[in-house]
Amino acid sequence: MKDKKKDIRALTKEQLQEFFVAQGDKSFRGSQVYEWLWNKSAHSFEDMTNISKATRQMLEDNFVINHIRVDQMQRSSDGTIKNAVRLHDNLTVESVLIPTPKRTTACVSSQVGCSLDCKFCATATLKRMRNLNPDEIYDQVVAIDNESRLYFDKPLSNIVFMGMGEPLMNYNNVMKAVEKITSKEGLGMSSKRITISTSGVPKMIKKLADDETKVKLAVSLHSAIDEIRTTIMPFNATFPLEDLREALEYWYLKTKSRITYEYIVWEGINDTRKDAEALVRFCKYVPCKVNLIEYNPIDDGVFQQASSDATHMYESMLERNGITVTVRRSRGKDIDAACGQLANKSS
Protein backbone atom coordinates (compact mmCIF):
# COMPACT_ATOMS: atom_id res chain seq x y z
CA MET A 1 0.00 0.00 0.00
CA LYS A 2 2.84 2.37 0.81
CA ASP A 3 3.95 2.75 -2.78
CA LYS A 4 0.44 3.91 -3.76
CA LYS A 5 0.72 6.93 -1.52
CA LYS A 6 1.88 10.16 -3.11
CA ASP A 7 5.22 11.64 -2.11
CA ILE A 8 4.04 14.73 -0.24
CA ARG A 9 7.18 16.69 -1.11
CA ALA A 10 6.25 16.49 -4.78
CA LEU A 11 3.46 19.00 -3.97
CA THR A 12 3.93 22.75 -4.05
CA LYS A 13 2.85 24.83 -1.09
CA GLU A 14 -0.20 25.94 -3.07
CA GLN A 15 -1.16 22.34 -3.81
CA LEU A 16 -0.84 21.47 -0.12
CA GLN A 17 -3.06 24.42 0.79
CA GLU A 18 -5.64 23.28 -1.78
CA PHE A 19 -5.52 19.74 -0.37
CA PHE A 20 -6.36 20.96 3.13
CA VAL A 21 -9.17 23.21 1.89
CA ALA A 22 -10.61 20.19 0.04
CA GLN A 23 -10.48 18.28 3.35
CA GLY A 24 -12.54 21.02 5.00
CA ASP A 25 -9.54 22.49 6.83
CA LYS A 26 -7.92 25.93 6.64
CA SER A 27 -5.35 26.68 3.91
CA PHE A 28 -2.76 27.78 6.47
CA ARG A 29 -2.50 24.14 7.53
CA GLY A 30 -0.82 23.46 4.21
CA SER A 31 1.71 26.19 4.97
CA GLN A 32 2.42 24.60 8.36
CA VAL A 33 3.04 21.20 6.80
CA TYR A 34 5.18 22.73 4.06
CA GLU A 35 7.37 24.38 6.71
CA TRP A 36 7.80 21.04 8.49
CA LEU A 37 8.74 19.30 5.25
CA TRP A 38 11.33 21.78 4.04
CA ASN A 39 12.51 24.30 6.62
CA LYS A 40 12.42 21.78 9.49
CA SER A 41 13.19 18.68 7.36
CA ALA A 42 10.68 16.46 9.16
CA HIS A 43 11.29 12.77 8.61
CA SER A 44 7.78 11.70 9.56
CA PHE A 45 4.32 13.15 10.09
CA GLU A 46 4.65 12.32 13.81
CA ASP A 47 7.38 14.99 14.00
CA MET A 48 4.82 17.71 13.17
CA THR A 49 4.01 18.50 16.78
CA ASN A 50 1.89 21.63 16.25
CA ILE A 51 -0.59 19.68 14.10
CA SER A 52 -3.39 17.61 15.64
CA LYS A 53 -3.01 13.85 15.92
CA ALA A 54 -6.06 13.33 13.68
CA THR A 55 -4.54 15.53 10.96
CA ARG A 56 -1.22 13.73 11.21
CA GLN A 57 -3.02 10.42 10.79
CA MET A 58 -4.90 11.76 7.78
CA LEU A 59 -1.57 12.75 6.21
CA GLU A 60 -0.16 9.32 7.03
CA ASP A 61 -3.12 7.71 5.26
CA ASN A 62 -2.66 9.77 2.10
CA PHE A 63 1.04 10.53 1.74
CA VAL A 64 4.56 9.33 2.33
CA ILE A 65 7.76 11.27 3.07
CA ASN A 66 10.44 9.59 0.96
CA HIS A 67 13.27 10.75 3.18
CA ILE A 68 16.84 9.65 2.57
CA ARG A 69 18.75 7.68 5.18
CA VAL A 70 22.50 7.96 5.78
CA ASP A 71 23.34 4.26 5.87
CA GLN A 72 27.01 4.75 6.58
CA MET A 73 29.25 7.68 7.41
CA GLN A 74 33.00 7.42 6.90
CA ARG A 75 35.56 9.93 8.17
CA SER A 76 38.87 10.49 6.42
CA SER A 77 42.15 11.18 8.19
CA ASP A 78 41.94 14.72 6.74
CA GLY A 79 38.47 15.34 8.21
CA THR A 80 36.49 14.70 5.04
CA ILE A 81 33.19 12.85 5.61
CA LYS A 82 31.53 10.55 3.07
CA ASN A 83 27.89 9.53 3.37
CA ALA A 84 26.41 6.44 1.78
CA VAL A 85 22.84 7.66 1.21
CA ARG A 86 20.02 5.13 0.99
CA LEU A 87 17.06 6.27 -1.12
CA HIS A 88 13.44 5.22 -0.64
CA ASP A 89 13.72 2.54 -3.35
CA ASN A 90 16.92 1.12 -1.75
CA LEU A 91 19.26 2.56 -4.37
CA THR A 92 22.36 4.28 -3.01
CA VAL A 93 24.28 7.44 -3.83
CA GLU A 94 27.17 9.14 -2.08
CA SER A 95 27.75 12.68 -0.86
CA VAL A 96 30.78 14.28 0.75
CA LEU A 97 31.50 16.96 3.34
CA ILE A 98 34.82 18.74 2.73
CA PRO A 99 36.01 20.89 5.65
CA THR A 100 38.60 23.65 5.54
CA PRO A 101 39.46 26.17 8.28
CA LYS A 102 37.21 28.83 6.73
CA ARG A 103 34.37 26.82 5.19
CA THR A 104 32.61 23.51 4.79
CA THR A 105 31.52 22.35 1.36
CA ALA A 106 28.92 19.74 0.43
CA CYS A 107 29.59 17.69 -2.68
CA VAL A 108 26.21 16.25 -3.66
CA SER A 109 24.97 13.73 -6.21
CA SER A 110 22.29 14.36 -8.82
CA GLN A 111 21.87 10.91 -10.41
CA VAL A 112 22.14 7.28 -9.35
CA GLY A 113 25.08 6.37 -11.57
CA CYS A 114 25.84 8.66 -14.50
CA SER A 115 24.56 9.35 -18.01
CA LEU A 116 28.02 10.05 -19.39
CA ASP A 117 31.09 7.91 -20.03
CA CYS A 118 34.23 9.64 -18.75
CA LYS A 119 36.93 6.97 -18.74
CA PHE A 120 38.71 8.26 -15.64
CA CYS A 121 35.69 8.49 -13.34
CA ALA A 122 34.52 5.64 -11.11
CA THR A 123 30.91 6.85 -11.19
CA ALA A 124 30.89 6.42 -14.97
CA THR A 125 31.37 2.67 -14.48
CA LEU A 126 27.92 2.55 -12.87
CA LYS A 127 24.87 2.30 -15.09
CA ARG A 128 22.59 5.32 -14.71
CA MET A 129 19.66 3.94 -12.77
CA ARG A 130 17.61 7.12 -12.43
CA ASN A 131 17.64 10.83 -11.72
CA LEU A 132 17.40 12.02 -8.14
CA ASN A 133 14.27 13.90 -7.13
CA PRO A 134 14.56 17.46 -5.80
CA ASP A 135 13.87 16.32 -2.22
CA GLU A 136 16.59 13.65 -2.43
CA ILE A 137 19.12 16.26 -3.48
CA TYR A 138 17.89 18.64 -0.78
CA ASP A 139 18.13 15.94 1.88
CA GLN A 140 21.80 15.32 1.08
CA VAL A 141 22.48 19.00 1.75
CA VAL A 142 20.51 18.96 5.02
CA ALA A 143 22.40 15.87 6.23
CA ILE A 144 25.76 17.48 5.47
CA ASP A 145 24.71 20.78 7.08
CA ASN A 146 23.84 18.84 10.24
CA GLU A 147 27.22 17.08 10.15
CA SER A 148 29.01 20.39 9.58
CA ARG A 149 27.36 21.86 12.67
CA LEU A 150 27.96 18.74 14.75
CA TYR A 151 31.59 18.01 13.84
CA PHE A 152 32.94 21.43 12.82
CA ASP A 153 30.72 23.78 14.80
CA LYS A 154 29.68 25.82 11.77
CA PRO A 155 26.86 25.74 9.23
CA LEU A 156 27.46 24.51 5.72
CA SER A 157 28.87 27.34 3.62
CA ASN A 158 29.12 25.99 0.04
CA ILE A 159 27.58 23.37 -2.24
CA VAL A 160 29.04 21.79 -5.36
CA PHE A 161 27.06 19.52 -7.68
CA MET A 162 30.14 17.44 -8.27
CA GLY A 163 29.08 14.08 -6.86
CA MET A 164 27.57 11.17 -8.76
CA GLY A 165 25.84 12.02 -12.02
CA GLU A 166 25.77 14.84 -14.58
CA PRO A 167 23.60 17.59 -13.03
CA LEU A 168 22.67 19.15 -16.38
CA MET A 169 21.22 15.77 -17.45
CA ASN A 170 18.82 16.10 -14.50
CA TYR A 171 18.28 19.79 -15.03
CA ASN A 172 14.70 20.31 -13.83
CA ASN A 173 15.13 18.41 -10.57
CA VAL A 174 18.49 20.03 -9.82
CA MET A 175 17.02 23.49 -10.36
CA LYS A 176 14.02 22.68 -8.14
CA ALA A 177 16.44 21.54 -5.44
CA VAL A 178 18.46 24.75 -5.81
CA GLU A 179 15.24 26.74 -5.48
CA LYS A 180 14.42 24.97 -2.21
CA ILE A 181 18.00 25.29 -0.90
CA THR A 182 18.06 29.04 -1.55
CA SER A 183 14.49 29.75 -0.46
CA LYS A 184 13.82 31.33 2.94
CA GLU A 185 11.28 28.55 3.37
CA GLY A 186 14.09 26.04 2.83
CA LEU A 187 17.73 26.48 3.86
CA GLY A 188 18.08 30.13 2.86
CA MET A 189 21.53 29.71 1.32
CA SER A 190 22.84 32.16 -1.26
CA SER A 191 22.83 30.86 -4.83
CA LYS A 192 26.31 32.40 -5.17
CA ARG A 193 27.57 29.68 -2.86
CA ILE A 194 26.32 26.93 -5.17
CA THR A 195 28.38 25.59 -8.08
CA ILE A 196 27.01 23.38 -10.84
CA SER A 197 29.82 21.24 -12.22
CA THR A 198 29.22 19.82 -15.69
CA SER A 199 31.18 17.72 -18.14
CA GLY A 200 29.89 20.13 -20.78
CA VAL A 201 26.36 19.90 -22.23
CA PRO A 202 26.15 23.02 -24.45
CA LYS A 203 22.37 23.24 -24.81
CA MET A 204 21.84 22.97 -21.04
CA ILE A 205 24.61 25.47 -20.24
CA LYS A 206 22.71 27.98 -22.37
CA LYS A 207 19.46 27.12 -20.58
CA LEU A 208 21.17 27.60 -17.22
CA ALA A 209 22.24 31.06 -18.39
CA ASP A 210 18.75 31.91 -19.66
CA ASP A 211 17.13 30.86 -16.38
CA GLU A 212 19.24 33.39 -14.42
CA THR A 213 19.70 31.15 -11.39
CA LYS A 214 22.85 33.02 -10.19
CA VAL A 215 24.72 29.79 -9.48
CA LYS A 216 28.37 29.41 -10.42
CA LEU A 217 29.50 27.18 -13.27
CA ALA A 218 32.39 24.73 -13.36
CA VAL A 219 33.35 22.62 -16.37
CA SER A 220 35.33 19.36 -16.26
CA LEU A 221 37.55 20.10 -19.23
CA HIS A 222 40.72 17.97 -18.97
CA SER A 223 41.76 18.66 -22.56
CA ALA A 224 41.29 21.55 -24.99
CA ILE A 225 42.12 19.33 -27.96
CA ASP A 226 39.07 17.56 -29.41
CA GLU A 227 40.81 14.31 -30.35
CA ILE A 228 42.29 13.86 -26.88
CA ARG A 229 39.16 14.94 -25.03
CA THR A 230 37.08 12.45 -27.03
CA THR A 231 39.37 9.57 -26.05
CA ILE A 232 38.95 10.30 -22.34
CA MET A 233 35.41 11.73 -22.46
CA PRO A 234 33.73 9.98 -25.43
CA PHE A 235 30.57 12.11 -25.30
CA ASN A 236 32.81 14.96 -26.58
CA ALA A 237 32.22 13.49 -30.04
CA THR A 238 28.59 14.61 -29.65
CA PHE A 239 29.35 17.85 -27.76
CA PRO A 240 32.70 19.00 -29.28
CA LEU A 241 34.80 21.82 -27.89
CA GLU A 242 33.57 24.32 -30.48
CA ASP A 243 29.98 23.84 -29.28
CA LEU A 244 31.10 23.98 -25.65
CA ARG A 245 33.05 27.20 -26.29
CA GLU A 246 30.01 28.82 -27.92
CA ALA A 247 27.82 27.83 -24.96
CA LEU A 248 30.36 29.21 -22.46
CA GLU A 249 30.60 32.49 -24.37
CA TYR A 250 26.81 32.68 -24.21
CA TRP A 251 26.92 31.91 -20.46
CA TYR A 252 29.33 34.76 -19.80
CA LEU A 253 27.44 37.17 -22.05
CA LYS A 254 24.24 36.50 -20.07
CA THR A 255 25.61 36.15 -16.54
CA LYS A 256 28.95 38.02 -16.43
CA SER A 257 30.06 35.18 -14.13
CA ARG A 258 33.49 33.70 -14.80
CA ILE A 259 33.82 29.98 -15.35
CA THR A 260 35.98 27.50 -13.45
CA TYR A 261 37.70 24.80 -15.50
CA GLU A 262 38.50 21.58 -13.65
CA TYR A 263 41.55 19.99 -15.21
CA ILE A 264 43.56 16.84 -14.43
CA VAL A 265 46.99 16.33 -16.00
CA TRP A 266 47.70 12.66 -16.80
CA GLU A 267 50.98 11.09 -17.79
CA GLY A 268 51.16 10.36 -21.51
CA ILE A 269 47.68 11.77 -22.19
CA ASN A 270 47.70 15.56 -21.79
CA ASP A 271 51.05 16.37 -20.17
CA THR A 272 52.84 18.10 -23.08
CA ARG A 273 53.46 21.75 -23.86
CA LYS A 274 51.06 21.45 -26.80
CA ASP A 275 48.28 20.45 -24.37
CA ALA A 276 49.01 23.38 -22.07
CA GLU A 277 49.08 25.82 -24.98
CA ALA A 278 45.67 24.54 -26.15
CA LEU A 279 44.27 25.12 -22.65
CA VAL A 280 45.63 28.67 -22.60
CA ARG A 281 43.95 29.39 -25.95
CA PHE A 282 40.65 27.95 -24.71
CA CYS A 283 40.85 30.01 -21.52
CA LYS A 284 41.06 33.23 -23.52
CA TYR A 285 37.54 32.90 -24.94
CA VAL A 286 35.80 33.88 -21.69
CA PRO A 287 36.98 35.06 -18.25
CA CYS A 288 37.84 31.99 -16.21
CA LYS A 289 40.03 30.35 -13.63
CA VAL A 290 41.61 26.89 -13.72
CA ASN A 291 41.72 24.31 -10.96
CA LEU A 292 44.50 21.80 -11.62
CA ILE A 293 43.23 18.73 -9.78
CA GLU A 294 45.23 15.86 -8.39
CA TYR A 295 44.15 12.59 -10.01
CA ASN A 296 42.50 9.97 -7.84
CA PRO A 297 43.06 6.43 -9.15
CA ILE A 298 40.08 4.16 -9.76
CA ASP A 299 42.11 0.92 -9.95
CA ASP A 300 42.27 0.49 -13.74
CA GLY A 301 45.88 1.58 -14.15
CA VAL A 302 45.26 3.34 -17.49
CA PHE A 303 45.32 6.84 -16.02
CA GLN A 304 48.34 7.94 -13.99
CA GLN A 305 48.99 11.30 -12.34
CA ALA A 306 51.46 13.30 -14.42
CA SER A 307 54.78 14.38 -12.96
CA SER A 308 55.01 17.48 -10.81
CA ASP A 309 57.10 19.02 -13.61
CA ALA A 310 54.12 18.72 -15.99
CA THR A 311 51.80 20.32 -13.45
CA HIS A 312 54.28 23.15 -12.85
CA MET A 313 54.56 23.65 -16.62
CA TYR A 314 50.77 24.12 -16.85
CA GLU A 315 50.75 26.38 -13.81
CA SER A 316 53.51 28.68 -15.03
CA MET A 317 52.12 28.88 -18.59
CA LEU A 318 48.65 29.81 -17.33
CA GLU A 319 50.05 32.42 -14.93
CA ARG A 320 52.25 33.97 -17.64
CA ASN A 321 49.09 34.45 -19.70
CA GLY A 322 47.23 36.14 -16.86
CA ILE A 323 44.95 33.20 -16.10
CA THR A 324 44.17 32.47 -12.44
CA VAL A 325 45.22 28.93 -11.56
CA THR A 326 45.02 26.89 -8.36
CA VAL A 327 46.53 23.47 -7.74
CA ARG A 328 43.95 21.45 -5.79
CA ARG A 329 45.09 18.66 -3.51
CA SER A 330 42.61 15.83 -3.17
CA ARG A 331 40.64 15.31 0.02
CA GLY A 332 39.25 12.04 1.35
CA LYS A 333 41.27 9.70 -0.87
CA ASP A 334 41.62 7.13 1.90
CA ILE A 335 37.84 6.59 1.96
CA ASP A 336 37.29 6.86 -1.82
CA ALA A 337 35.63 10.25 -1.33
CA ALA A 338 37.82 12.32 -3.66
CA CYS A 339 36.83 13.67 -7.08
CA GLY A 340 36.06 10.86 -9.50
CA GLN A 341 36.07 8.13 -6.86
CA LEU A 342 32.39 7.98 -5.91
CA ALA A 343 31.18 4.51 -6.89
CA ASN A 344 29.25 3.20 -3.88
CA LYS A 345 32.29 1.37 -2.50
CA SER A 346 31.67 2.31 1.15
CA SER A 347 32.91 -0.38 3.48
Side-chain angles (χ1 to χ4, degrees):
M1 290 293 291
K2 182 181 176 183
D3 60 357
K4 294 183 180 179
K5 296 180 185 178
K6 188 173 180 64
D7 178 2
I8 192 168
R9 288 191 293 177
L11 300 181
T12 64
K13 182 162 72 170
E14 291 71 28
Q15 287 171 325
L16 268 174
Q17 290 169 342
E18 289 167 7
F19 170 79
F20 275 99
V21 170
Q23 299 293 316
D25 207 332
K26 299 285 194 299
S27 65
F28 82 87
R29 193 73 65 204
S31 301
Q32 278 185 307
V33 171
Y34 189 86
E35 182 182 13
W36 276 108
L37 293 172
W38 296 106
N39 186 257
K40 297 179 180 178
S41 296
H43 285 219
S44 73
F45 297 114
E46 279 303 304
D47 293 340
M48 301 178 181
T49 50
N50 64 346
I51 295 171
S52 73
K53 193 171 183 66
T55 300
R56 280 180 273 162
Q57 185 59 53
M58 182 268 292
L59 290 170
E60 188 77 45
D61 292 341
N62 286 276
F63 299 105
V64 65
I65 303 174
N66 286 330
H67 213 283
I68 67 161
R69 186 173 76 244
V70 176
D71 258 7
Q72 185 178 20
M73 187 191 80
Q74 292 175 278
R75 296 192 72 177
S76 166
S77 57
D78 64 22
T80 300
I81 292 174
K82 181 172 78 169
N83 293 326
V85 174
R86 180 78 59 181
L87 308 176
H88 69 92
D89 53 5
N90 284 323
L91 294 173
T92 300
V93 294
E94 293 177 336
S95 55
V96 180
L97 167 58
I98 306 161
T100 65
K102 291 185 178 180
R103 67 177 65 178
T104 53
T105 299
C107 176
V108 298
S109 294
S110 55
Q111 295 178 312
V112 185
C114 188
S115 306
L116 302 180
D117 48 11
C118 302
K119 300 298 184 185
F120 53 87
C121 180
T123 308
T125 65
L126 305 175
K127 175 186 174 186
R128 188 191 74 82
M129 303 291 288
R130 68 171 176 86
N131 289 332
L132 292 188
N133 296 325
D135 52 281
E136 294 171 324
I137 297 168
Y138 183 89
D139 285 352
Q140 291 176 72
V141 175
V142 171
I144 291 176
D145 180 46
N146 290 337
E147 290 167 350
S148 179
R149 293 169 189 270
L150 178 63
Y151 296 110
F152 302 101
D153 200 29
K154 58 180 124 180
L156 182 67
S157 58
N158 295 77
I159 301 167
V160 291
F161 282 83
M162 211 175 282
M164 299 169 71
E166 165 53 62
L168 296 188
M169 292 292 199
N170 184 19
Y171 185 87
N172 290 337
N173 288 350
V174 166
M175 288 301 105
K176 286 177 184 176
V178 168
E179 183 184 336
K180 288 288 190 293
I181 291 164
T182 56
S183 167
K184 290 181 180 178
E185 295 176 318
L187 297 181
M189 288 187 69
S190 168
S191 57
K192 294 177 182 178
R193 294 184 174 272
I194 300 174
T195 299
I196 304 291
S197 178
T198 176
S199 294
V201 187
K203 177 182 176 182
M204 302 314 294
I205 289 171
K206 290 180 178 179
K207 180 166 175 53
L208 188 64
D210 286 337
D211 287 348
E212 300 180 350
T213 55
K214 309 298 184 192
V215 297
K216 294 180 179 178
L217 180 66
V219 177
S220 293
L221 191 60
H222 310 304
S223 179
I225 300 171
D226 264 316
E227 296 76 17
I228 295 173
R229 194 168 193 259
T230 299
T231 63
I232 59 177
M233 305 169 81
F235 70 88
N236 186 71
T238 306
F239 306 129
L241 287 166
E242 184 179 352
D243 293 354
L244 177 59
R245 184 198 77 202
E246 182 194 348
L248 295 175
E249 288 173 335
Y250 184 84
W251 161 271
Y252 187 76
L253 182 69
K254 295 280 288 190
T255 69
K256 295 296 184 285
S257 175
R258 74 173 177 169
I259 294 146
T260 298
Y261 293 125
E262 310 285 358
Y263 200 100
I264 303 171
V265 186
W266 291 286
E267 183 180 332
I269 294 175
N270 61 349
D271 59 349
T272 70
R273 189 173 187 84
K274 177 184 174 185
D275 294 296
E277 288 169 347
L279 176 59
V280 167
R281 286 194 298 274
F282 196 85
C283 286
K284 290 188 174 179
Y285 292 123
V286 291
C288 64
K289 61 179 179 177
V290 175
N291 285 341
L292 293 176
I293 305 172
E294 183 181 352
Y295 178 58
N296 305 299
I298 59 170
D299 300 331
D300 62 5
V302 175
F303 292 90
Q304 299 292 332
Q305 176 74 42
S307 68
S308 57
D309 286 346
T311 303
H312 291 322
M313 180 264 294
Y314 265 92
E315 193 176 4
S316 60
M317 194 176 292
L318 288 163
E319 286 176 343
R320 280 201 308 272
N321 282 274
I323 299 159
T324 302
V325 57
T326 304
V327 178
R328 296 279 188 202
R329 302 300 173 201
S330 287
R331 305 289 301 276
K333 284 200 290 187
D334 56 329
I335 56 170
D336 291 324
C339 283
Q341 288 187 319
L342 300 186
N344 291 337
K345 292 202 305 184
S346 301
S347 60

